[in-house]
Amino acid sequence: MGEWKAKTKAVHDGVRRSQYNEVSEAIFLTQGFVYDSAEQAEARFIETGPDEFIYARYGNPTVRMFEERLASIEGTGDGFAVASGMAAVNVTLMAAAQPGMRIVAARALFGSCLYILEWLAKFGAEVVYVDGTSEAEWRAALTGGADLVFLETISNPTLEVIDIALVAGLAHAAGALLVVDNTFSTPVGASAAARGADVVIYSTTKHIDGGGRGLGGVVLGSEDFIRGTFEPYAKHTGAALSPFNAWMHLKGLDTLDLRVRAMAESAAQIADALAGHAALGRMIYPGRPDHPQHAVAARQMDHGGTMLALDLAGGKDAAFRFLNALQIPVISNNLGDAKSIVTHPATTTHQRLPDEQKQLLGITPGLVRFSVGLEDAGDLVADIRAALAGL
Ligand SMILES: *Cc1c(COP(=O)(O)O)cnc(C)c1O
């Protein structure tokens, strides 16, 4: 089905129908599967075929539909869905871990990703952090060779964009596996695998759910990596995705392309309307030419993203007053939701980082992360303008 576009794949690929030939994907709420005979059970434990299941910790038909559909959209050989985005990162890193391994990572990472890398360092992994937007730093860190390279394509919360193709070239020359958390880019219009990532991770809790209903995560890669490296560790350690959440996220894929495009279009409109506003020290949006990595974003994605970052000139006090004055967006910490969501990273998601680390990452007291939802863009602009005017 390789010739279909992502939009078509997102609606049809991976479907498995029961004997009733249902149209909508069924939820197989079962942890186990009945064998016709003792011989069949024995055979299945020796080798499990593509449409055969043993236990939901290893695989489930609804989860399998979701995995196959995402692998097809991303363009990888296979995929494995797990209970959350963090389970996807953790199981990937643990499954790939080797004694004395050398990891090179972009420094602007989600706090929990940093936690896992620090955990690996306790067991002897050498972890080197670089400025992900600096080719020179990647080159310097990778000349000595590496086992694994980890990065988030668009960093949280300052929306730096990393050139996947550039890092893939350097990582592969160094002998490293390139693992990319592509959650902020979404799987539509921004395939990381096509640009050279070996393993692509999504927190499906975000845009793929799209309504803030439940957690999920997926790891996409070659059949070799998924079945040879990832699955043996994953199936014994229990981060399995529930079939119900797999079904919710599967149905989320039906409308993902439409939603992401609409959100990105609104984000671009809001960014243009706010550029140069006197209350803002900085307005960060990868889709605008004034973004430092605009050229990379334009090459790598066919939209500018659904996230904005606003740095309020008046610091924390102004940021809090702005958040409290907004009528439409909710104050929370999810993203990719139909509802616009505003977050103050310095006091919530990134609270635990030491001040010098926050400074290095650009997490200033005035910084507000804005996840643009599906509301009317004009309503959002008017709401933001009114909240800024009150400062
Ligand atoms: C949210 C997020 C995660 C973690 O995903 P959960 O589903 O919350 O566990 C990892 N990486 C990025 C970039 C995220 O935005």
Side-chain angles (χ1 to χ4, degrees):
M1 298 182 185
E3 66 281 10
W4 283 356
K5 300 284 192 297
K7 272 160 92 165
T8 310
K9 292 175 171 183
V11 175
H12 288 285
D13 267 2
V15 163
R16 285 171 153 65
R17 294 201 163 93
S18 78
Q19 72 273 31
Y20 301 114
N21 243 355
E22 63 281 352
V23 173
S24 173
E25 295 79 355
I27 314 177
F28 291 92
L29 278 180
T30 181
Q31 113 290 0
F33 303 85
V34 176
Y35 311 104
D36 294 335
S37 64
E39 288 78 9
Q40 190 189 51
E42 180 187 33
R44 200 167 294 181
F45 271 79
I46 294 167
E47 198 183 345
T48 314
D51 258 309
E52 296 174 350
F53 299 91
I54 290 178
Y55 192 61
R57 176 149 45 76
Y58 296 16
N60 167 286
T62 310
V63 177
R64 192 67 197 128
M65 289 191 242
F66 182 53
E67 292 166 339
E68 277 189 9
R69 191 169 292 181
L70 272 163
S72 168
I73 294 169
E74 184 70 30
T76 59
D78 215 334
F80 202 103
V82 287
S84 69
M86 283 328 304
V89 175
N90 185 47
V91 176
T92 298
L93 292 176
M94 293 304 151
Q98 303 154 34
M101 80 186 300
R102 187 161 192 271
I103 301 173
V104 178
R107 148 189 329 133
L109 292 178
F110 193 61
S112 302
C113 295
L114 277 174
Y115 182 89
I116 297 167
L117 291 173
E118 282 160 22
W119 191 265
L120 278 166
K122 289 209 292 192
F123 292 88
E126 184 194 351
V127 187
V128 180
Y129 295 99
V130 299
D131 171 350
T133 64
S134 161
E135 181 177 347
E137 287 198 21
W138 282 114
R139 275 187 192 283
L142 287 168
T143 38
D147 299 294
L148 191 142
V149 170
F150 184 73
L151 61 90
E152 289 172 20
T153 324
I154 302 183
S155 72
N156 175 25
T158 50
L159 312 181
E160 289 174 356
V161 184
I162 298 183
D163 187 335
I164 300 171
L166 173 83
V167 179
L170 298 172
H172 294 154
L177 183 80
L178 175 59
V179 179
V180 170
D181 180 338
N182 207 37
T183 301
F184 272 45
S185 304
T186 85
V188 291
S191 167
R195 313 217 145 253
D198 300 302
V199 179
V200 183
I201 291 172
Y202 292 100
S203 162
T204 65
T205 313
K206 312 290 168 57
H207 302 79
I208 293 174
D209 184 290
R213 290 163 294 199
L215 293 167
V218 75
V219 178
L220 307 168
S222 67
E223 203 182 329
D224 234 29
F225 177 82
I226 296 296
R227 297 301 149 200
T229 304
F230 189 91
E231 183 186 31
Y233 186 83
K235 73 182 189 184
H236 292 299
T237 51
L241 178 64
S242 94
F244 185 80
N245 282 21
W247 175 81
M248 274 197 307
H249 292 183
L250 192 58
K251 298 312 280 179
L253 287 177
D254 281 349
T255 55
L256 179 67
D257 188 273
L258 269 178
R259 288 185 287 108
V260 168
R261 266 165 226 288
M263 288 170 175
E265 212 171 278
S266 293
Q269 273 186 52
I270 296 168
D272 287 342
L274 295 184
H277 194 290
L280 298 176
R282 252 185 109 193
M283 200 277 309
I284 308 170
Y285 182 60
R288 267 181 65 85
D290 57 10
H291 188 282
Q293 293 92 39
H294 174 67
V296 179
R299 215 165 40 235
Q300 202 156 274
M301 304 158 67
D302 62 12
H303 55 78
T306 67
M307 306 290 294
L308 302 164
L310 311 174
D311 200 353
L312 277 87
K316 179 182 167 187
D317 178 55
F320 273 33
R321 282 198 287 147
F322 174 64
L323 257 59
N324 292 337
L326 287 167
Q327 302 289 304
I328 300 172
V330 297
I331 302 170
S332 189
N333 39 258
N334 190 22
L335 58 101
D337 197 292
K339 294 179 176 68
S340 288
I341 294 176
V342 282
T343 313
H344 186 247
T347 54
T348 60
T349 52
H350 293 71
Q351 185 182 154
R352 256 169 294 166
L353 287 184
D355 283 344
E356 46 308 348
Q357 188 77 3
K358 281 184 193 144
Q359 214 166 355
L360 195 63
L361 297 177
I363 304 168
T364 56
L367 192 77
V368 170
R369 189 183 80 181
F370 199 118
S371 168
V372 179
L374 289 173
E375 303 94 340
D376 182 81
D379 286 348
L380 288 171
V381 168
D383 191 24
I384 296 167
R385 281 222 171 101
L388 289 176
L391 295 180

